[in-house]
Amino acid sequence: MSTSEMVVACEGAIRLGCFAGVLALVALWELAAPRRVLRESKRRRWLGNFAVLLLNTLLLRAIFPAAAVGAAVFAATHGWGVLNWVVAPAWLSVIAAVVALDLAIYLQHVLFHAVPAFWRLHRMHHADLDIDVSTGGRFHPLEILLSMLIKFGVIFALGAPMLAVVIFEVMLSATSLFNHGNVLIPSATDRFLRWFVVTPDMHRVHHSIAQEETNSNFGFNFPWWDRLFGTYRDQPKLGHRQMAIGIRTFRDRKYCQDLTGMLAIPFVGGVSAYAINRRSSEASADSNAPYVDDTEET
């Protein structure tokens, strides 16, 4: 078996091991030092969120067995992509590819908030009425498949080295769990960390019910893109403990907790003003109106 074949074969195990380790650490951190009081049933939310995560994992492995690493091997074998056309040290190609892939994920995230059809898929992620480590794996299967196809295109265009893709995939899984964590980080530490990585306080703003806060802080791994492209927001207006989580159009618990309700979200109702290009004066006024969350704490 060649080195490439071995890496492709082991990539799933590497990602699963890192995912399980980070999940356990963040979950324990949430128990020891939570940032917010959760208002929904954690047991039901976790059942729904991890059920869709399992469904996505099985679906991806069935449709794309080699996943993104396989795309990198294919690009290298056929000489596709910019990094296969230039002469550069291997370490520099790996760093450039990881940074470029992260920029692509940032732009994809903005796209999923800008195109109404894509927002229909992505709003399942935002319909969670709480935010914790389980939200980091809560994405609609159709969004996951579309995201993988976009990632294939980026890998082919870049000629991303296989090692860079493995590093990036592990980073993406780990940071998605970390930055959705309901964990308390001292403010001074958070201010320092968010120059290098998207922190939970930074990303939590993106899950605010307020439209202008939802459409900010799109980064997953590196925080630089939001600052560079003007989508950075430091803090939510109501503070992290008082801000409401979710989107106004999906407050029914079945869309938060039940797998069938979650999977139905793209096909329910119209496209709300949360889609960036659907903003209006009425929508903006509504998004700025105070929101009273009268859900009972559980």
Side-chain angles (χ1 to χ4, degrees):
M1 181 181 290
S2 68
T3 302
S4 296
E5 290 173 334
M6 290 178 62
V7 172
V8 171
C10 295
E11 181 265 346
I14 294 170
R15 287 189 63 190
L16 179 60
C18 292
F19 180 90
V22 175
L23 173 62
L25 288 173
V26 177
L28 290 172
W29 190 354
E30 289 181 339
L31 289 175
R35 184 67 163 97
R36 293 165 47 92
V37 175
L38 298 182
R39 306 189 66 84
E40 299 299 314
S41 167
K42 189 170 185 176
R43 180 184 62 83
R44 290 193 62 184
R45 283 184 56 254
W46 277 42
L47 283 174
N49 288 350
F50 284 113
V52 78
L53 174 63
L54 177 60
L55 174 62
N56 289 340
T57 302
L58 296 175
L59 190 62
L60 279 178
R61 287 300 171 184
I63 298 176
F64 305 116
V69 174
V73 173
F74 186 89
T77 302
H78 292 79
W80 288 6
V82 174
L83 294 176
N84 286 315
W85 303 335
V86 299
V87 178
W91 63 268
L92 183 58
S93 294
V94 168
I95 292 174
V98 169
V99 173
L101 283 166
D102 194 66
L103 173 58
I105 290 296
Y106 166 86
L107 295 173
Q108 175 191 300
H109 196 177
V110 174
L111 186 69
F112 273 68
H113 279 252
V115 178
F118 293 169
W119 171 246
R120 281 185 174 274
L121 302 178
H122 186 58
R123 65 187 181 181
M124 192 198 87
H125 179 66
H126 283 268
D128 203 343
L129 298 178
D130 269 323
I131 179 171
D132 63 14
V133 66
S134 72
T135 313
R138 176 193 167 107
F139 295 93
H140 198 279
L142 294 177
E143 178 180 359
I144 289 294
L145 292 176
L146 180 57
S147 178
M148 184 59 72
L149 291 174
I150 293 172
K151 195 180 297 180
F152 285 171
V154 174
I155 291 170
F156 290 152
L158 279 175
M162 179 176 54
L163 178 59
V165 174
V166 172
I167 291 172
F168 178 76
E169 291 288 85
V170 170
M171 284 176 53
L172 189 61
S173 295
T175 54
S176 184
L177 294 174
F178 169 66
N179 61 41
H180 286 90
N182 180 35
V183 296
L184 180 63
I185 298 177
S187 57
T189 304
D190 177 82
R191 285 195 300 271
F192 173 76
L193 287 176
R194 67 170 64 186
W195 284 103
F196 307 100
V197 67
V198 175
T199 66
D201 273 14
M202 179 178 168
H203 188 71
R204 193 176 299 109
V205 178
H206 182 70
H207 283 261
S208 166
I209 199 171
Q211 175 190 322
E212 69 278 10
E213 294 178 349
T214 305
N215 289 321
S216 67
N217 295 8
F218 293 98
F220 263 86
N221 290 327
F222 303 134
W224 315 316
W225 314 123
D226 284 298
R227 296 177 186 270
L228 181 62
F229 294 109
T231 54
Y232 177 71
R233 184 176 293 268
D234 185 56
Q235 300 292 335
K237 287 186 296 186
L238 297 181
H240 288 278
R241 296 184 188 277
Q242 297 302 318
M243 65 183 284
I245 299 295
I247 51 180
R248 293 175 185 267
T249 44
F250 291 94
R251 306 308 291 177
D252 191 315
R253 283 186 173 89
K254 70 180 180 181
Y255 297 122
C256 169
Q257 302 173 346
D258 299 338
L259 180 61
T260 54
M262 292 160 61
L263 295 177
I265 286 176
F267 314 104
V268 175
V271 176
S272 73
Y274 283 90
I276 293 172
N277 68 357
R278 290 299 181 93
R279 288 181 175 177
S280 66
S281 58
E282 292 82 4
S284 296
D286 178 64
S287 72
N288 290 324
Y291 178 81
V292 178
D293 189 350
D294 58 1
T295 308
E296 294 182 1
E297 294 185 9
T298 55

